[in-house]
Amino acid sequence: MFKLGDFDYRDRTVFLRLDLNSPVKNGKIISDARFRAALPTIIYLLEHGAKVVIGTHQSKPYKEDYITTEQHAEILSRLLGQEIEYVEDVFGKYGRERIGALKPGEAIILENLRFSAEEVKYKPLEECEKTFFVRKLSPLIDYVVNDAFAAAHRSQPSLVGFARLKPMIMGFLMEREVRALTKAYNTGERPRVYVLGGAKVDDSLRVAENVLRNGRADLILTGGLVGHVFTLAKGFHLGDANIEFMERKGLLEFIDWAEEILNEFYPNVRTPVDFAVDYRGTRVEVDLLSEEKWLFDNHLILDIGSRTVEKYREVLMKAKIIVANGPMGVFEREEFALGTVGVFRAIGESPAFSIVGGGHSIASIYQHGITGISHVSTGGGAMLSFFAGEKLPVLEAFRISYERFRNKLGGKTWKNRENWNRSPK
Ligand code: 3PG
């Protein structure tokens, strides 16, 4: 696959697809983690004289955190110490004019790509190629650099649509992510422990099934709503309030599937032994087998308990490989962050090669100053898809682009070729 160093970018226009989709509170972006992760690629392109057109999505239509990229431009400008112009357009005349006006070493950021209807659908590469987004921008672009690992499981025009039209190159972050995840997945070291939390229950079940069935994991520790589903599948009752909550979220339907996994791999899947509930606004811990478990009937479980954290910690300290995705509870509320922070901290202290991901939940790693994790992945769903053994459309697109353009080269490197494929401006 093409790497950044394979090409000469001086005076070339590069479409740089990033994933700067970030958590938003009261209309403001509250974490710059994904911005920082993208900096090495942006700096490399600017320093090598590229004209950089940055594109990102932010959330999805009608959601509260679906905002313009104006703040993204401000954050990038601050981190880079250079103005990154916010262009209030995706591929219209104004946007194309701003791209055409770029000078070497300058960058702009297009409007939230999902403001364009084409970008909201998942379509095969061939369909993405036909979109107006790709057709309108293609003539203006020399290269595509894709550093949006967190969106690598999405087949959308900006992510895969240019692959057969332009060389599509891996950014530094993409390379780092793929290398770390591949290492954890293909390792021969043991024990390999997976920690699955958060609310993406179906994705996590796919991971559990894949890594256990294909001999990629030795033990799975569960928390968050994934933990709830496995706990129920083991036959424990979590109280009426929690059952109603899970029914509303459509999660009860996953219990049978979790049971099937347990039938095959029961000792390899650990579930919490205690939970913390919200008892009139405070954290109260309840043992799963204690007299107090009636509290589950009226109070929502918002975290795993301290005893579970201790048990998980013992396992994690002995692991050789750790892959963790998703929080153990509602970490956004300080009193219910104990489980997530306790487990992430144990992962950081473990001598294992460790990867932690989970989209927005990785913000809590930085907030709580947790160090020692080998690789903090920017990917949530993308990371889960990878460990579920699925083909990621963006990684497939890199391969297709490489095959297409490598052959045209006849063995020469792009760097040495002058003016290839200069598009009429
Ligand atoms: C993520 O945060 O998981 C990525 O940005 C992908 O976002 P999406 O699930 O809205 O496609």
Side-chain angles (χ1 to χ4, degrees):
M1 288 192 245
F2 290 128
K3 308 267 177 65
L4 267 182
D6 293 342
F7 296 86
D8 186 356
Y9 300 100
R10 190 148 307 273
D11 212 17
R12 300 287 194 265
T13 304
V14 175
F15 175 63
L16 172 59
R17 180 53 161 99
L18 301 177
D19 187 341
L20 302 177
N21 179 25
S22 300
V24 170
K25 200 170 177 185
N26 303 323
K28 287 262 169 264
I29 291 177
I30 53 164
S31 164
D32 61 8
R34 283 187 174 173
F35 293 79
R36 288 180 185 278
L39 289 181
T41 298
I42 308 175
I43 292 170
Y44 181 90
L45 289 171
L46 293 175
E47 283 181 350
H48 284 78
K51 304 168 182 177
V52 184
V53 182
I54 298 172
T56 182
H57 69 279
Q58 169 64 46
S59 189
K60 290 189 177 79
Y62 308 108
K63 291 186 110 182
E64 226 172 276
D65 53 351
Y66 183 58
I67 57 173
T68 73
T69 52
E70 196 170 358
Q71 285 181 59
H72 302 70
E74 285 164 15
I75 295 170
L76 280 177
S77 304
R78 174 170 53 76
L79 292 174
L80 289 162
Q82 162 178 349
E83 203 213 329
I84 308 297
E85 187 195 345
Y86 160 59
V87 173
E88 206 182 326
D89 196 4
V90 178
F91 58 77
K93 193 160 178 277
Y94 173 65
R96 299 202 308 276
E97 275 170 14
R98 295 315 298 147
I99 294 174
L102 272 169
K103 298 199 176 56
E106 286 184 352
I108 55 174
I109 181 164
L110 300 175
E111 185 51 282
N112 184 347
L113 299 177
R114 287 186 181 166
F115 281 20
S116 146
E118 294 168 341
E119 189 69 16
V120 185
K121 296 235 160 47
Y122 305 127
K123 294 279 184 189
L125 187 150
E126 298 74 25
E127 295 292 315
C128 290
E129 196 175 278
K130 292 185 203 146
T131 56
F132 279 98
F133 174 82
V134 170
R135 280 154 57 188
K136 293 271 183 184
L137 292 190
S138 244
L140 303 178
I141 288 167
D142 297 300
Y143 303 120
V144 172
V145 174
N146 193 322
D147 222 9
F149 174 75
H153 57 319
R154 303 297 188 210
S155 191
Q156 289 169 329
S158 69
L159 290 158
V160 301
F162 295 106
R164 299 196 297 186
L165 308 174
K166 306 282 165 183
M168 182 169 153
I169 304 154
M170 294 180 101
F172 290 133
L173 174 63
M174 182 72 74
E175 244 193 283
R176 203 153 53 83
E177 294 267 17
V178 172
R179 200 181 313 124
L181 271 59
T182 306
K183 175 176 170 172
Y185 193 68
N186 289 341
T187 184
E189 292 193 81
R190 283 144 207 257
R192 300 151 301 176
V193 179
Y194 280 62
V195 184
L196 299 176
K200 289 180 174 158
V201 173
D202 51 349
D203 292 339
S204 297
L205 292 180
R206 278 207 301 279
V207 172
E209 198 165 62
N210 178 56
V211 292
L212 288 170
R213 197 157 285 155
N214 291 306
R216 307 271 175 179
D218 303 297
L219 204 56
I220 293 190
L221 311 177
T222 63
L225 294 174
V226 181
H228 282 32
V229 169
F230 273 112
T231 306
L232 290 169
K234 280 188 174 177
F236 294 103
H237 190 51
L238 287 179
D240 295 343
N242 291 289
I243 298 290
E244 275 162 30
F245 173 80
M246 291 181 66
E247 190 167 18
R248 269 203 312 281
K249 294 268 171 197
L251 297 177
L252 294 182
E253 63 184 80
F254 294 117
I255 294 173
D256 288 347
W257 184 5
E259 228 177 295
E260 281 169 30
I261 296 173
L262 288 170
N263 284 343
E264 227 177 308
F265 304 103
Y266 193 95
N268 307 86
V269 182
R270 302 272 165 88
T271 47
V273 291
D274 60 347
F275 294 95
V277 298
D278 180 358
Y279 183 73
R280 298 178 184 162
T282 57
R283 177 187 178 98
V284 170
E285 295 202 353
V286 181
D287 209 285
L288 189 57
L289 298 175
S290 72
E291 300 282 296
E292 282 79 44
K293 69 176 191 297
W294 60 268
L295 279 164
F296 296 147
D297 278 331
N298 300 311
H299 304 279
L300 278 185
I301 295 171
L302 299 186
D303 196 10
I304 57 173
S306 324
R307 221 158 64 74
T308 304
V309 174
E310 261 324 296
K311 281 182 167 289
Y312 284 4
R313 187 185 172 79
E314 274 172 39
V315 171
L316 293 166
M317 293 315 280
K318 289 186 200 133
K320 282 281 183 335
I321 299 286
I322 300 170
V323 174
N325 191 298
M328 295 290 105
V330 182
F331 69 96
E332 294 89 343
R333 279 181 63 184
E334 201 50 46
E335 64 274 37
F336 296 104
L338 186 146
T340 305
V341 173
V343 168
F344 285 0
R345 188 158 279 146
I347 295 173
E349 286 167 19
S350 164
F353 173 78
S354 54
I355 300 179
V356 178
H360 296 178
S361 71
I362 61 162
S364 67
I365 292 174
Y366 299 108
Q367 254 166 36
H368 291 86
I370 296 168
T371 55
I373 295 167
S374 316
H375 178 75
V376 178
S377 176
T378 52
M383 181 178 158
L384 289 170
S385 280
F386 181 94
F387 287 110
E390 291 156 12
K391 283 199 164 144
L392 304 189
V394 169
L395 300 190
E396 288 302 297
F398 282 124
R399 271 182 213 115
I400 289 167
S401 195
Y402 184 73
E403 287 308 319
R404 159 96 24 148
F405 291 102
R406 185 193 58 160
N407 295 342
K408 275 198 180 176
L409 277 173
K412 292 184 191 147
T413 68
W414 290 103
K415 250 187 169 164
N416 300 331
R417 283 172 68 100
E418 278 303 304
N419 295 325
W420 86 250
N421 197 24
R422 293 298 294 149
S423 324
K425 298 271 153 67

PDB file of all heavy atoms in Angstrom, residues 20-51:
ATOM      1  N   LEU A  20     -12.067  13.710  12.326  1.00  0.00           N
ATOM      2  CA  LEU A  20     -11.998  14.636  13.463  1.00  0.00           C
ATOM      3  C   LEU A  20     -13.333  14.673  14.200  1.00  0.00           C
ATOM      4  O   LEU A  20     -13.616  15.620  14.942  1.00  0.00           O
ATOM      5  CB  LEU A  20     -11.616  16.047  12.967  1.00  0.00           C
ATOM      6  CG  LEU A  20     -10.288  16.147  12.210  1.00  0.00           C
ATOM      7  CD1 LEU A  20     -10.059  17.571  11.698  1.00  0.00           C
ATOM      8  CD2 LEU A  20      -9.114  15.725  13.103  1.00  0.00           C
ATOM      9  N   ASN A  21     -14.137  13.650  13.976  1.00  0.00           N
ATOM     10  CA  ASN A  21     -15.423  13.524  14.664  1.00  0.00           C
ATOM     11  C   ASN A  21     -15.156  13.431  16.170  1.00  0.00           C
ATOM     12  O   ASN A  21     -14.523  12.494  16.632  1.00  0.00           O
ATOM     13  CB  ASN A  21     -16.103  12.252  14.141  1.00  0.00           C
ATOM     14  CG  ASN A  21     -17.432  11.978  14.782  1.00  0.00           C
ATOM     15  OD1 ASN A  21     -18.094  12.892  15.267  1.00  0.00           O
ATOM     16  ND2 ASN A  21     -17.830  10.710  14.798  1.00  0.00           N
ATOM     17  N   SER A  22     -15.630  14.425  16.932  1.00  0.00           N
ATOM     18  CA  SER A  22     -15.227  14.549  18.343  1.00  0.00           C
ATOM     19  C   SER A  22     -16.423  14.749  19.258  1.00  0.00           C
ATOM     20  O   SER A  22     -17.479  15.199  18.803  1.00  0.00           O
ATOM     21  CB  SER A  22     -14.291  15.761  18.488  1.00  0.00           C
ATOM     22  OG  SER A  22     -13.155  15.583  17.676  1.00  0.00           O
ATOM     23  N   PRO A  23     -16.241  14.435  20.564  1.00  0.00           N
ATOM     24  CA  PRO A  23     -17.357  14.667  21.493  1.00  0.00           C
ATOM     25  C   PRO A  23     -17.655  16.162  21.640  1.00  0.00           C
ATOM     26  O   PRO A  23     -16.737  16.979  21.659  1.00  0.00           O
ATOM     27  CB  PRO A  23     -16.855  14.090  22.815  1.00  0.00           C
ATOM     28  CG  PRO A  23     -15.397  13.885  22.658  1.00  0.00           C
ATOM     29  CD  PRO A  23     -15.090  13.812  21.201  1.00  0.00           C
ATOM     30  N   VAL A  24     -18.944  16.464  21.747  1.00  0.00           N
ATOM     31  CA  VAL A  24     -19.399  17.860  21.819  1.00  0.00           C
ATOM     32  C   VAL A  24     -20.307  18.016  23.024  1.00  0.00           C
ATOM     33  O   VAL A  24     -21.165  17.186  23.260  1.00  0.00           O
ATOM     34  CB  VAL A  24     -20.190  18.212  20.518  1.00  0.00           C
ATOM     35  CG1 VAL A  24     -20.880  19.562  20.638  1.00  0.00           C
ATOM     36  CG2 VAL A  24     -19.271  18.181  19.305  1.00  0.00           C
ATOM     37  N   LYS A  25     -20.074  19.066  23.804  1.00  0.00           N
ATOM     38  CA  LYS A  25     -20.958  19.341  24.946  1.00  0.00           C
ATOM     39  C   LYS A  25     -21.423  20.789  24.845  1.00  0.00           C
ATOM     40  O   LYS A  25     -20.590  21.684  24.656  1.00  0.00           O
ATOM     41  CB  LYS A  25     -20.182  19.117  26.250  1.00  0.00           C
ATOM     42  CG  LYS A  25     -21.071  18.890  27.442  1.00  0.00           C
ATOM     43  CD  LYS A  25     -20.226  18.429  28.615  1.00  0.00           C
ATOM     44  CE  LYS A  25     -21.056  18.258  29.853  1.00  0.00           C
ATOM     45  NZ  LYS A  25     -20.221  17.940  31.002  1.00  0.00           N
ATOM     46  N   ASN A  26     -22.698  21.018  24.951  1.00  0.00           N
ATOM     47  CA  ASN A  26     -23.282  22.353  24.795  1.00  0.00           C
ATOM     48  C   ASN A  26     -22.730  23.074  23.560  1.00  0.00           C
ATOM     49  O   ASN A  26     -22.358  24.246  23.607  1.00  0.00           O
ATOM     50  CB  ASN A  26     -23.032  23.215  26.041  1.00  0.00           C
ATOM     51  CG  ASN A  26     -23.578  22.561  27.291  1.00  0.00           C
ATOM     52  OD1 ASN A  26     -24.635  21.920  27.245  1.00  0.00           O
ATOM     53  ND2 ASN A  26     -22.863  22.674  28.396  1.00  0.00           N
ATOM     54  N   GLY A  27     -22.645  22.348  22.470  1.00  0.00           N
ATOM     55  CA  GLY A  27     -22.218  22.955  21.204  1.00  0.00           C
ATOM     56  C   GLY A  27     -20.712  23.126  21.051  1.00  0.00           C
ATOM     57  O   GLY A  27     -20.240  23.605  20.022  1.00  0.00           O
ATOM     58  N   LYS A  28     -19.948  22.730  22.064  1.00  0.00           N
ATOM     59  CA  LYS A  28     -18.484  22.929  21.993  1.00  0.00           C
ATOM     60  C   LYS A  28     -17.752  21.590  21.959  1.00  0.00           C
ATOM     61  O   LYS A  28     -18.088  20.673  22.720  1.00  0.00           O
ATOM     62  CB  LYS A  28     -17.989  23.682  23.241  1.00  0.00           C
ATOM     63  CG  LYS A  28     -18.349  25.142  23.266  1.00  0.00           C
ATOM     64  CD  LYS A  28     -17.166  25.998  22.788  1.00  0.00           C
ATOM     65  CE  LYS A  28     -17.536  27.441  22.531  1.00  0.00           C
ATOM     66  NZ  LYS A  28     -17.840  27.770  21.142  1.00  0.00           N
ATOM     67  N   ILE A  29     -16.723  21.497  21.116  1.00  0.00           N
ATOM     68  CA  ILE A  29     -15.894  20.280  21.068  1.00  0.00           C
ATOM     69  C   ILE A  29     -15.100  20.195  22.367  1.00  0.00           C
ATOM     70  O   ILE A  29     -14.455  21.169  22.765  1.00  0.00           O
ATOM     71  CB  ILE A  29     -14.944  20.335  19.853  1.00  0.00           C
ATOM     72  CG1 ILE A  29     -15.766  20.201  18.569  1.00  0.00           C
ATOM     73  CG2 ILE A  29     -13.880  19.245  19.934  1.00  0.00           C
ATOM     74  CD1 ILE A  29     -14.974  20.313  17.284  1.00  0.00           C
ATOM     75  N   ILE A  30     -15.157  19.048  23.047  1.00  0.00           N
ATOM     76  CA  ILE A  30     -14.520  18.965  24.367  1.00  0.00           C
ATOM     77  C   ILE A  30     -13.269  18.072  24.397  1.00  0.00           C
ATOM     78  O   ILE A  30     -12.681  17.884  25.447  1.00  0.00           O
ATOM     79  CB  ILE A  30     -15.521  18.478  25.459  1.00  0.00           C
ATOM     80  CG1 ILE A  30     -16.192  17.171  25.018  1.00  0.00           C
ATOM     81  CG2 ILE A  30     -16.549  19.548  25.765  1.00  0.00           C
ATOM     82  CD1 ILE A  30     -16.883  16.433  26.136  1.00  0.00           C
ATOM     83  N   SER A  31     -12.886  17.534  23.254  1.00  0.00           N
ATOM     84  CA  SER A  31     -11.627  16.750  23.231  1.00  0.00           C
ATOM     85  C   SER A  31     -10.906  17.007  21.914  1.00  0.00           C
ATOM     86  O   SER A  31     -11.516  16.949  20.844  1.00  0.00           O
ATOM     87  CB  SER A  31     -11.924  15.261  23.374  1.00  0.00           C
ATOM     88  OG  SER A  31     -10.776  14.514  22.994  1.00  0.00           O
ATOM     89  N   ASP A  32      -9.604  17.271  22.016  1.00  0.00           N
ATOM     90  CA  ASP A  32      -8.855  17.464  20.763  1.00  0.00           C
ATOM     91  C   ASP A  32      -7.976  16.238  20.470  1.00  0.00           C
ATOM     92  O   ASP A  32      -7.032  16.313  19.692  1.00  0.00           O
ATOM     93  CB  ASP A  32      -8.035  18.765  20.794  1.00  0.00           C
ATOM     94  CG  ASP A  32      -6.983  18.781  21.910  1.00  0.00           C
ATOM     95  OD1 ASP A  32      -6.785  17.736  22.567  1.00  0.00           O
ATOM     96  OD2 ASP A  32      -6.351  19.832  22.113  1.00  0.00           O
ATOM     97  N   ALA A  33      -8.317  15.084  21.082  1.00  0.00           N
ATOM     98  CA  ALA A  33      -7.484  13.876  20.927  1.00  0.00           C
ATOM     99  C   ALA A  33      -7.312  13.484  19.458  1.00  0.00           C
ATOM    100  O   ALA A  33      -6.207  13.191  19.005  1.00  0.00           O
ATOM    101  CB  ALA A  33      -8.084  12.718  21.713  1.00  0.00           C
ATOM    102  N   ARG A  34      -8.403  13.475  18.685  1.00  0.00           N
ATOM    103  CA  ARG A  34      -8.290  13.055  17.275  1.00  0.00           C
ATOM    104  C   ARG A  34      -7.552  14.100  16.436  1.00  0.00           C
ATOM    105  O   ARG A  34      -6.950  13.766  15.424  1.00  0.00           O
ATOM    106  CB  ARG A  34      -9.670  12.774  16.693  1.00  0.00           C
ATOM    107  CG  ARG A  34     -10.204  11.435  17.160  1.00  0.00           C
ATOM    108  CD  ARG A  34     -11.491  11.056  16.454  1.00  0.00           C
ATOM    109  NE  ARG A  34     -11.894   9.705  16.828  1.00  0.00           N
ATOM    110  CZ  ARG A  34     -13.039   9.151  16.490  1.00  0.00           C
ATOM    111  NH1 ARG A  34     -13.910   9.822  15.759  1.00  0.00           N
ATOM    112  NH2 ARG A  34     -13.326   7.921  16.863  1.00  0.00           N
ATOM    113  N   PHE A  35      -7.590  15.356  16.855  1.00  0.00           N
ATOM    114  CA  PHE A  35      -6.858  16.415  16.136  1.00  0.00           C
ATOM    115  C   PHE A  35      -5.351  16.192  16.328  1.00  0.00           C
ATOM    116  O   PHE A  35      -4.579  16.239  15.383  1.00  0.00           O
ATOM    117  CB  PHE A  35      -7.223  17.805  16.688  1.00  0.00           C
ATOM    118  CG  PHE A  35      -8.649  18.206  16.417  1.00  0.00           C
ATOM    119  CD1 PHE A  35      -9.685  17.710  17.183  1.00  0.00           C
ATOM    120  CD2 PHE A  35      -8.943  19.084  15.389  1.00  0.00           C
ATOM    121  CE1 PHE A  35     -11.002  18.069  16.942  1.00  0.00           C
ATOM    122  CE2 PHE A  35     -10.256  19.459  15.132  1.00  0.00           C
ATOM    123  CZ  PHE A  35     -11.282  18.950  15.910  1.00  0.00           C
ATOM    124  N   ARG A  36      -4.975  15.942  17.587  1.00  0.00           N
ATOM    125  CA  ARG A  36      -3.548  15.747  17.889  1.00  0.00           C
ATOM    126  C   ARG A  36      -3.006  14.523  17.146  1.00  0.00           C
ATOM    127  O   ARG A  36      -1.889  14.540  16.645  1.00  0.00           O
ATOM    128  CB  ARG A  36      -3.338  15.582  19.400  1.00  0.00           C
ATOM    129  CG  ARG A  36      -3.534  16.874  20.154  1.00  0.00           C
ATOM    130  CD  ARG A  36      -3.317  16.714  21.653  1.00  0.00           C
ATOM    131  NE  ARG A  36      -3.626  17.962  22.316  1.00  0.00           N
ATOM    132  CZ  ARG A  36      -2.791  18.998  22.409  1.00  0.00           C
ATOM    133  NH1 ARG A  36      -1.571  18.910  21.906  1.00  0.00           N
ATOM    134  NH2 ARG A  36      -3.159  20.110  23.002  1.00  0.00           N
ATOM    135  N   ALA A  37      -3.838  13.481  17.095  1.00  0.00           N
ATOM    136  CA  ALA A  37      -3.385  12.250  16.434  1.00  0.00           C
ATOM    137  C   ALA A  37      -3.131  12.478  14.939  1.00  0.00           C
ATOM    138  O   ALA A  37      -2.316  11.790  14.331  1.00  0.00           O
ATOM    139  CB  ALA A  37      -4.428  11.150  16.630  1.00  0.00           C
ATOM    140  N   ALA A  38      -3.814  13.460  14.357  1.00  0.00           N
ATOM    141  CA  ALA A  38      -3.685  13.697  12.907  1.00  0.00           C
ATOM    142  C   ALA A  38      -2.552  14.672  12.574  1.00  0.00           C
ATOM    143  O   ALA A  38      -2.192  14.813  11.400  1.00  0.00           O
ATOM    144  CB  ALA A  38      -5.004  14.249  12.362  1.00  0.00           C
ATOM    145  N   LEU A  39      -1.993  15.322  13.583  1.00  0.00           N
ATOM    146  CA  LEU A  39      -1.005  16.379  13.314  1.00  0.00           C
ATOM    147  C   LEU A  39       0.219  15.921  12.502  1.00  0.00           C
ATOM    148  O   LEU A  39       0.620  16.629  11.570  1.00  0.00           O
ATOM    149  CB  LEU A  39      -0.533  17.024  14.626  1.00  0.00           C
ATOM    150  CG  LEU A  39      -1.558  17.913  15.344  1.00  0.00           C
ATOM    151  CD1 LEU A  39      -0.940  18.501  16.608  1.00  0.00           C
ATOM    152  CD2 LEU A  39      -2.048  19.020  14.438  1.00  0.00           C
ATOM    153  N   PRO A  40       0.855  14.786  12.834  1.00  0.00           N
ATOM    154  CA  PRO A  40       2.067  14.430  12.083  1.00  0.00           C
ATOM    155  C   PRO A  40       1.856  14.393  10.570  1.00  0.00           C
ATOM    156  O   PRO A  40       2.697  14.873   9.811  1.00  0.00           O
ATOM    157  CB  PRO A  40       2.419  13.036  12.631  1.00  0.00           C
ATOM    158  CG  PRO A  40       1.826  13.016  14.006  1.00  0.00           C
ATOM    159  CD  PRO A  40       0.566  13.825  13.919  1.00  0.00           C
ATOM    160  N   THR A  41       0.709  13.872  10.123  1.00  0.00           N
ATOM    161  CA  THR A  41       0.451  13.805   8.679  1.00  0.00           C
ATOM    162  C   THR A  41       0.244  15.204   8.098  1.00  0.00           C
ATOM    163  O   THR A  41       0.785  15.542   7.036  1.00  0.00           O
ATOM    164  CB  THR A  41      -0.793  12.918   8.404  1.00  0.00           C
ATOM    165  OG1 THR A  41      -0.508  11.601   8.880  1.00  0.00           O
ATOM    166  CG2 THR A  41      -1.121  12.861   6.932  1.00  0.00           C
ATOM    167  N   ILE A  42      -0.528  16.031   8.791  1.00  0.00           N
ATOM    168  CA  ILE A  42      -0.788  17.390   8.265  1.00  0.00           C
ATOM    169  C   ILE A  42       0.540  18.142   8.159  1.00  0.00           C
ATOM    170  O   ILE A  42       0.839  18.768   7.140  1.00  0.00           O
ATOM    171  CB  ILE A  42      -1.750  18.178   9.190  1.00  0.00           C
ATOM    172  CG1 ILE A  42      -3.025  17.371   9.477  1.00  0.00           C
ATOM    173  CG2 ILE A  42      -2.119  19.520   8.553  1.00  0.00           C
ATOM    174  CD1 ILE A  42      -3.969  18.022  10.473  1.00  0.00           C
ATOM    175  N   ILE A  43       1.342  18.066   9.218  1.00  0.00           N
ATOM    176  CA  ILE A  43       2.611  18.805   9.238  1.00  0.00           C
ATOM    177  C   ILE A  43       3.525  18.307   8.110  1.00  0.00           C
ATOM    178  O   ILE A  43       4.131  19.101   7.393  1.00  0.00           O
ATOM    179  CB  ILE A  43       3.286  18.672  10.627  1.00  0.00           C
ATOM    180  CG1 ILE A  43       2.447  19.428  11.669  1.00  0.00           C
ATOM    181  CG2 ILE A  43       4.721  19.202  10.603  1.00  0.00           C
ATOM    182  CD1 ILE A  43       2.852  19.179  13.108  1.00  0.00           C
ATOM    183  N   TYR A  44       3.573  16.988   7.936  1.00  0.00           N
ATOM    184  CA  TYR A  44       4.425  16.427   6.875  1.00  0.00           C
ATOM    185  C   TYR A  44       4.020  16.993   5.508  1.00  0.00           C
ATOM    186  O   TYR A  44       4.863  17.438   4.730  1.00  0.00           O
ATOM    187  CB  TYR A  44       4.312  14.897   6.876  1.00  0.00           C
ATOM    188  CG  TYR A  44       5.170  14.221   5.837  1.00  0.00           C
ATOM    189  CD1 TYR A  44       6.477  13.839   6.129  1.00  0.00           C
ATOM    190  CD2 TYR A  44       4.687  13.986   4.541  1.00  0.00           C
ATOM    191  CE1 TYR A  44       7.284  13.223   5.169  1.00  0.00           C
ATOM    192  CE2 TYR A  44       5.485  13.375   3.580  1.00  0.00           C
ATOM    193  CZ  TYR A  44       6.780  12.995   3.899  1.00  0.00           C
ATOM    194  OH  TYR A  44       7.566  12.393   2.954  1.00  0.00           O
ATOM    195  N   LEU A  45       2.722  16.999   5.237  1.00  0.00           N
ATOM    196  CA  LEU A  45       2.255  17.472   3.920  1.00  0.00           C
ATOM    197  C   LEU A  45       2.545  18.962   3.741  1.00  0.00           C
ATOM    198  O   LEU A  45       3.009  19.390   2.684  1.00  0.00           O
ATOM    199  CB  LEU A  45       0.753  17.192   3.774  1.00  0.00           C
ATOM    200  CG  LEU A  45       0.382  15.710   3.611  1.00  0.00           C
ATOM    201  CD1 LEU A  45      -1.125  15.516   3.694  1.00  0.00           C
ATOM    202  CD2 LEU A  45       0.915  15.169   2.275  1.00  0.00           C
ATOM    203  N   LEU A  46       2.292  19.752   4.789  1.00  0.00           N
ATOM    204  CA  LEU A  46       2.534  21.194   4.679  1.00  0.00           C
ATOM    205  C   LEU A  46       4.025  21.468   4.484  1.00  0.00           C
ATOM    206  O   LEU A  46       4.411  22.278   3.640  1.00  0.00           O
ATOM    207  CB  LEU A  46       2.017  21.912   5.934  1.00  0.00           C
ATOM    208  CG  LEU A  46       0.484  21.896   6.129  1.00  0.00           C
ATOM    209  CD1 LEU A  46       0.106  22.537   7.468  1.00  0.00           C
ATOM    210  CD2 LEU A  46      -0.214  22.629   4.976  1.00  0.00           C
ATOM    211  N   GLU A  47       4.836  20.768   5.264  1.00  0.00           N
ATOM    212  CA  GLU A  47       6.289  21.001   5.157  1.00  0.00           C
ATOM    213  C   GLU A  47       6.849  20.555   3.805  1.00  0.00           C
ATOM    214  O   GLU A  47       7.891  21.033   3.376  1.00  0.00           O
ATOM    215  CB  GLU A  47       7.030  20.276   6.297  1.00  0.00           C
ATOM    216  CG  GLU A  47       6.891  21.031   7.612  1.00  0.00           C
ATOM    217  CD  GLU A  47       7.645  20.349   8.747  1.00  0.00           C
ATOM    218  OE1 GLU A  47       8.110  19.214   8.568  1.00  0.00           O
ATOM    219  OE2 GLU A  47       7.728  20.983   9.824  1.00  0.00           O
ATOM    220  N   HIS A  48       6.139  19.635   3.153  1.00  0.00           N
ATOM    221  CA  HIS A  48       6.606  19.175   1.838  1.00  0.00           C
ATOM    222  C   HIS A  48       5.920  19.922   0.697  1.00  0.00           C
ATOM    223  O   HIS A  48       5.900  19.448  -0.441  1.00  0.00           O
ATOM    224  CB  HIS A  48       6.429  17.659   1.713  1.00  0.00           C
ATOM    225  CG  HIS A  48       7.476  16.902   2.478  1.00  0.00           C
ATOM    226  ND1 HIS A  48       7.413  16.748   3.841  1.00  0.00           N
ATOM    227  CD2 HIS A  48       8.633  16.315   2.102  1.00  0.00           C
ATOM    228  CE1 HIS A  48       8.481  16.077   4.263  1.00  0.00           C
ATOM    229  NE2 HIS A  48       9.234  15.815   3.226  1.00  0.00           N
ATOM    230  N   GLY A  49       5.338  21.066   1.030  1.00  0.00           N
ATOM    231  CA  GLY A  49       4.841  21.966  -0.019  1.00  0.00           C
ATOM    232  C   GLY A  49       3.529  21.579  -0.664  1.00  0.00           C
ATOM    233  O   GLY A  49       3.215  22.037  -1.769  1.00  0.00           O
ATOM    234  N   ALA A  50       2.713  20.729   0.031  1.00  0.00           N
ATOM    235  CA  ALA A  50       1.423  20.349  -0.552  1.00  0.00           C
ATOM    236  C   ALA A  50       0.397  21.460  -0.328  1.00  0.00           C
ATOM    237  O   ALA A  50       0.535  22.301   0.560  1.00  0.00           O
ATOM    238  CB  ALA A  50       0.930  19.060   0.093  1.00  0.00           C
ATOM    239  N   LYS A  51      -0.620  21.453  -1.179  1.00  0.00           N
ATOM    240  CA  LYS A  51      -1.803  22.308  -0.973  1.00  0.00           C
ATOM    241  C   LYS A  51      -2.848  21.359  -0.386  1.00  0.00           C
ATOM    242  O   LYS A  51      -3.308  20.442  -1.077  1.00  0.00           O
ATOM    243  CB  LYS A  51      -2.284  22.861  -2.301  1.00  0.00           C
ATOM    244  CG  LYS A  51      -1.205  23.632  -3.066  1.00  0.00           C
ATOM    245  CD  LYS A  51      -1.732  23.866  -4.479  1.00  0.00           C
ATOM    246  CE  LYS A  51      -0.723  24.587  -5.326  1.00  0.00           C
ATOM    247  NZ  LYS A  51      -1.193  24.748  -6.705  1.00  0.00           N
TER     248      LYS A  51
END
